[in-house]
Amino acid sequence: MTELLLGPLLRHVDATSATIWVETGGPCEVRVGEAAARTFEVSGHHYALVVLTGLEPGRSTPYEVRLDGDVVWPEPDSDLPPSRIRTLAPGDPRFRLVFGSCRKPREQDALGPDALAAYAHRMARLDEAEWPESLLLLGDQVYADETTDATQEWLARRRDTSEPPGTEVADFEEFCHLYFEAWCDPSVRWLLSTVPTSMIFDDHDVRDDWNTSHAWREEMARTSWWPERIRGALVSYWVYQHLGNLGPDELATNDLYQQVSKSGEDNAERLRAFADHADEEADGAKGTRWSYRRDFGPVRLLVIDSRAGRILDGGKRSMIGDAEFEWIEEQAAGGFDHLLIGTSLPWLLPNALAAAQSVNERACARPGLRGRVSEWFRQLADLEHWPSFRDSFDRLAKLVARVAGEGAASVNVLSGDVHHAYVARARFPAETAAPIHQLTCSPVHNTVPWYMNRLFRAGWSRPLTKVSEWRARRAGVPDAPLTWSCVSGPHFGNAVMSVDVDGRTATATLLQPDGHTLADGPSVRLT
């Protein structure tokens, strides 16, 4: 009997279709209801993405997973509710999305309760009508550069960890181990089998400071181990995270997926070539687009890749290339009440820190010692958020202002990365019809040094902001096209945040662990 190693993960769900991802112990047929798919192979690992179509809108249906006819899910001894596919109901004005980022495995108890596991326990006790329609994981699902003790022991049995990259992961096989470690927890596994989940990567999914700058990329290129590391990272991301972000129509027209799923052979070399192409920069563009769009009734979720798609070469520095930004601008046009923009890195940082990042970007471009010192400090202090890509920051501001003035009820940018939570309200000189907010929630399960708590709090202070903005003007940084202020936070500790929509109203609520469940924290009206 073939074993179900990981999953099922319920990924894309709309009114009439769903996709379910699994990893299995060998080649087999995977069946969910009347839908089935053969596994595909990557470096000896076996996966399937089952596409269910023709579902009835607005229905909740328990499901089983069968491998070659044998039921392998749900697990027979589980005391959790049955996994369900809950299709969207056209015209339903209500929608709930839960999001967060930065989740280390639960082995590391010193980090406090895991907010995602706590949410699963809370959800299991709720009426199904209170379950969220979507879960959004905004980066750092795995930590390739900060491995657990258990993983380090496993790595030491596999290779000599006294040689680079040491106890960081080195290749696809080791990334597979990280994903298993991250997603095998029973409560989290049940949650991911029941709530449709969207994902995007951030730096630790590959390595801290990934694509911070052209200088960083050059430094990595000089190492012996980086090429295999980035191949393993991007291949595993495509398999474990990206495929599930695509709906049935997108999968049907995705040439690479069609080749891989139907090849009948090990696809390792095909995907390694794809990873090399995806990482390359040519003519101001990257070889693939990881950004994507999801629609949930009155809500549009537009997820922006703010990590792999960066343009850093040739004297041009932008968060994403022009062609991809044009695609994003097209997807943000009409047909929804609420626009949620998901990007792993916050668009609106604490004011003083935002101005400092823009100053540092200018300083890094200077020749000689000052530029080199500024680059060293950029990498040391992680000065790589949207304000450090100032042209991209302004372009996103223009997009947000346009949407907020064209009939939307709210525009909200959802982010993580910075290991604390806050809600900031944005305002433009010409007041927009719809409110605009930055919603930041991180970490799900991690921590931040005590001195960073003080820095994040100080970043919102008016005196420090005035000094930082004065320095920005002295450095030739233009004034930002908008202002913003913190309306909730900063909040520290593990957490997830929910966005609740009811018609043209929306509310954000911070949820933090209280023992094995979650307690409701502060709420902010977004409309």
Side-chain angles (χ1 to χ4, degrees):
M1 176 177 169
T2 306
E3 184 181 2
L4 179 66
L5 296 181
L6 204 55
L9 272 69
L10 181 61
R11 298 300 310 270
H12 190 285
V13 174
D14 56 27
T16 60
S17 67
T19 64
I20 293 176
W21 178 97
V22 297
E23 180 179 359
T24 65
C28 63
E29 179 193 72
V30 183
R31 180 171 293 275
V32 179
E34 299 301 315
R38 293 293 306 179
T39 55
F40 60 87
E41 185 177 357
V42 183
S43 296
H45 292 257
H46 302 272
Y47 310 93
L49 190 64
V50 182
V51 179
L52 297 90
T53 58
L55 304 178
E56 186 175 342
R59 287 290 301 273
S60 175
T61 307
Y63 70 88
E64 295 180 334
V65 177
R66 297 175 180 268
L67 304 185
D68 287 337
D70 296 318
V71 177
V72 295
W73 186 269
E75 295 178 316
D77 299 329
S78 175
D79 57 357
L80 294 164
S83 300
R84 294 176 175 271
I85 300 170
R86 294 173 300 130
T87 52
L88 299 177
D92 189 343
R94 295 169 300 171
F95 171 76
R96 172 173 290 166
L97 176 142
V98 173
F99 76 96
S101 80
C102 308
R103 178 177 176 266
K104 286 192 171 183
R106 291 184 68 193
E107 176 209 64
Q108 297 171 320
D109 293 333
L111 301 176
D114 181 342
L116 200 61
Y119 191 85
H121 289 293
R122 170 187 172 124
M123 184 177 140
R125 293 193 292 270
L126 291 174
D127 185 273
E128 187 182 331
E130 297 299 314
W131 291 2
E133 282 71 35
S134 180
L135 172 65
L136 175 61
L137 300 177
L138 285 169
D140 295 347
Q141 274 73 260
V142 295
Y143 280 73
D145 51 346
E146 298 177 10
T147 53
T148 63
D149 292 343
T151 291
Q152 291 180 22
E153 291 174 4
W154 179 82
L155 292 173
R157 294 194 296 271
R158 187 170 189 263
R159 57 177 171 83
D160 183 359
T161 54
S162 67
E163 298 291 331
T167 56
E168 301 182 25
V169 300
D171 56 22
F172 175 77
E173 184 69 28
E174 295 176 8
F175 274 100
C176 293
H177 179 88
L178 290 188
Y179 280 104
F180 181 83
E181 183 180 48
W183 291 348
C184 70
D185 177 86
S187 56
V188 171
R189 192 174 183 183
W190 171 79
L191 177 71
L192 296 177
S193 76
T194 304
V195 181
T197 304
S198 305
M199 305 178 183
I200 195 71
F201 43 25
D202 200 17
D203 56 344
H204 290 287
D205 293 88
V206 179
R207 194 174 199 258
D208 188 28
D209 297 333
W210 177 36
N211 283 350
T212 289
S213 62
H214 180 61
W216 185 91
R217 285 179 64 88
E218 286 186 322
E219 179 185 345
M220 289 298 103
R222 290 192 290 269
T223 69
S224 61
W225 51 269
W226 178 251
E228 198 59 36
R229 167 71 156 271
I230 190 63
R231 287 189 196 106
L234 293 179
V235 170
S236 63
Y237 177 78
W238 187 86
V239 171
Y240 285 84
Q241 298 195 49
H242 181 67
L243 281 183
N245 293 329
L246 307 179
D249 292 343
E250 294 165 302
L251 291 168
T253 58
N254 187 296
D255 290 340
L256 180 61
Y257 173 70
Q258 293 300 317
Q259 293 170 18
V260 167
S261 62
K262 297 174 181 177
S263 71
E265 60 187 18
D266 195 314
N267 293 279
E269 290 308 312
R270 179 181 284 113
L271 288 176
R272 284 165 61 86
F274 161 76
D276 288 344
H277 180 63
D279 186 49
E280 291 172 355
E281 181 180 325
D283 301 322
K286 284 297 180 72
T288 194
R289 188 187 76 228
W290 303 106
S291 302
Y292 60 94
R293 165 187 149 186
R294 300 283 304 273
D295 286 335
F296 305 94
V299 175
R300 175 161 297 171
L301 172 64
L302 183 54
V303 180
I304 299 175
D305 162 29
S306 53
R307 186 58 69 171
R310 296 178 177 188
I311 303 303
L312 304 166
D313 203 358
K316 181 177 176 60
R317 177 179 166 84
S318 58
M319 191 65 86
I320 42 182
D322 287 339
E324 186 166 345
F325 223 131
E326 289 168 5
W327 179 87
I328 290 165
E329 289 163 338
E330 291 171 2
Q331 305 311 305
F336 50 82
D337 289 333
H338 304 271
L339 177 62
L340 305 180
I341 298 175
T343 170
S344 63
L345 301 169
W347 172 50
L348 302 179
L349 286 169
N351 307 89
L353 303 185
Q357 292 211 11
S358 296
V359 170
N360 176 261
E361 181 185 31
R362 290 261 173 150
C364 288
R366 293 174 67 95
L369 180 61
R370 182 172 176 181
R372 292 194 298 273
V373 171
S374 298
E375 175 63 39
W376 167 81
F377 188 66
R378 169 158 61 191
Q379 295 185 32
L380 176 70
D382 290 335
L383 306 183
E384 52 173 340
H385 300 79
W386 282 86
S388 72
F389 291 79
R390 183 51 193 273
D391 289 345
S392 299
F393 176 95
D394 290 352
R395 188 168 180 177
L396 184 57
K398 185 177 180 180
L399 179 154
V400 165
R402 172 177 62 80
V403 174
E406 291 181 345
S410 74
V411 180
N412 302 285
V413 179
L414 280 54
S415 306
D417 180 73
V418 292
H419 291 202
H420 69 291
Y422 61 89
V423 178
R425 172 71 188 270
R427 288 181 169 83
F428 286 83
E431 189 67 25
T432 57
I436 301 165
H437 289 89
Q438 167 74 59
L439 311 179
T440 301
C441 185
S442 164
V444 170
H445 189 229
N446 209 322
T447 189
V448 65
W450 63 268
Y451 55 86
M452 292 301 297
N453 291 19
R454 296 184 179 180
L455 179 62
F456 290 139
R457 292 185 192 277
W460 292 109
S461 71
R462 286 306 304 160
L464 187 58
T465 296
K466 288 182 178 179
V467 171
S468 191
E469 290 176 346
W470 172 80
R471 290 190 67 250
R473 287 190 292 271
R474 286 286 301 269
V477 176
D479 290 342
L482 73 161
T483 61
W484 63 96
S485 59
C486 185
V487 295
S488 180
H491 307 286
F492 296 95
N494 297 331
V496 293
M497 188 178 289
S498 70
V499 178
D500 289 274
V501 168
D502 190 350
R504 289 182 64 84
T505 66
T507 304
T509 304
L510 188 69
L511 306 167
Q512 293 190 284
D514 181 10
H516 291 294
T517 187
L518 288 186
D520 288 2
S523 291
V524 175
R525 178 77 175 263
L526 303 175
T527 50

